[in-house]
Amino acid sequence: MRYSQENQPAMDQLVRMTYKTGVYAGKVFETGGPRAVVQVLAVLKHPQQGNLHYPYDPDVPMFHERKALSYTEKALCVYQDLEPFHGEVPDYKASLVRALEEEAAELDRLKRWAERGLDTLAIVKRDYGM
């Protein structure tokens, strides 16, 4: 269940927060108005690198470097990007390492997929007599 401005989380409630391209576990620090202030406690998914307007394009004028929000950093978040967090909040440093490694593994998998696709296209190109 996602929250809304009418159905706001309680103060100090643990939430799962989507912020830009990262996902975090945090504690509601302040509510009211169109956004909540959430204090970051753990990184669940590391932010993506690159230009979000041109996904998977390495040849953009500005390839963005995105770092995860820091431990106890406070972020403004619209209510629909919050949902209850269930379970134990992992240690921030350990969660950051795990999230970073998962993001790197996903990029490596994408790189290997692209290389294999290029190899397959080379075979198809030969089959076409090109």
Side-chain angles (χ1 to χ4, degrees), residues 95-115:
S95 72
L96 176 63
V97 168
R98 182 195 47 74
L100 187 62
E101 288 173 350
E102 286 176 359
E103 187 68 17
E106 180 62 24
L107 288 174
D108 181 63
R109 188 186 67 75
L110 184 60
K111 178 179 126 185
R112 289 182 292 112
W113 174 84
E115 289 169 347

Side-chain angles (χ1 to χ4, degrees), residues 12-77:
D12 293 327
Q13 182 171 350
L14 292 177
V15 293
R16 177 183 171 100
M17 172 180 70
T18 302
Y19 186 83
K20 299 190 179 179
T21 61
V23 180
Y24 303 87
K27 180 171 56 170
V28 175
F29 190 78
E30 186 178 310
T31 59
R35 298 175 186 262
V37 177
V38 176
Q39 184 177 37
V40 173
L41 300 176
V43 182
L44 304 177
K45 181 188 176 304
H46 196 277
Q48 293 177 342
Q49 307 304 299
N51 190 317
L52 298 180
H53 301 290
Y54 303 96
Y56 307 113
D57 185 353
D59 303 317
V60 292
M62 180 173 272
F63 194 89
H64 299 277
E65 171 192 287
R66 288 189 184 78
K67 294 182 179 173
L69 295 175
S70 303
Y71 180 64
T72 70
E73 182 173 351
K74 293 171 186 74
L76 279 173
C77 191

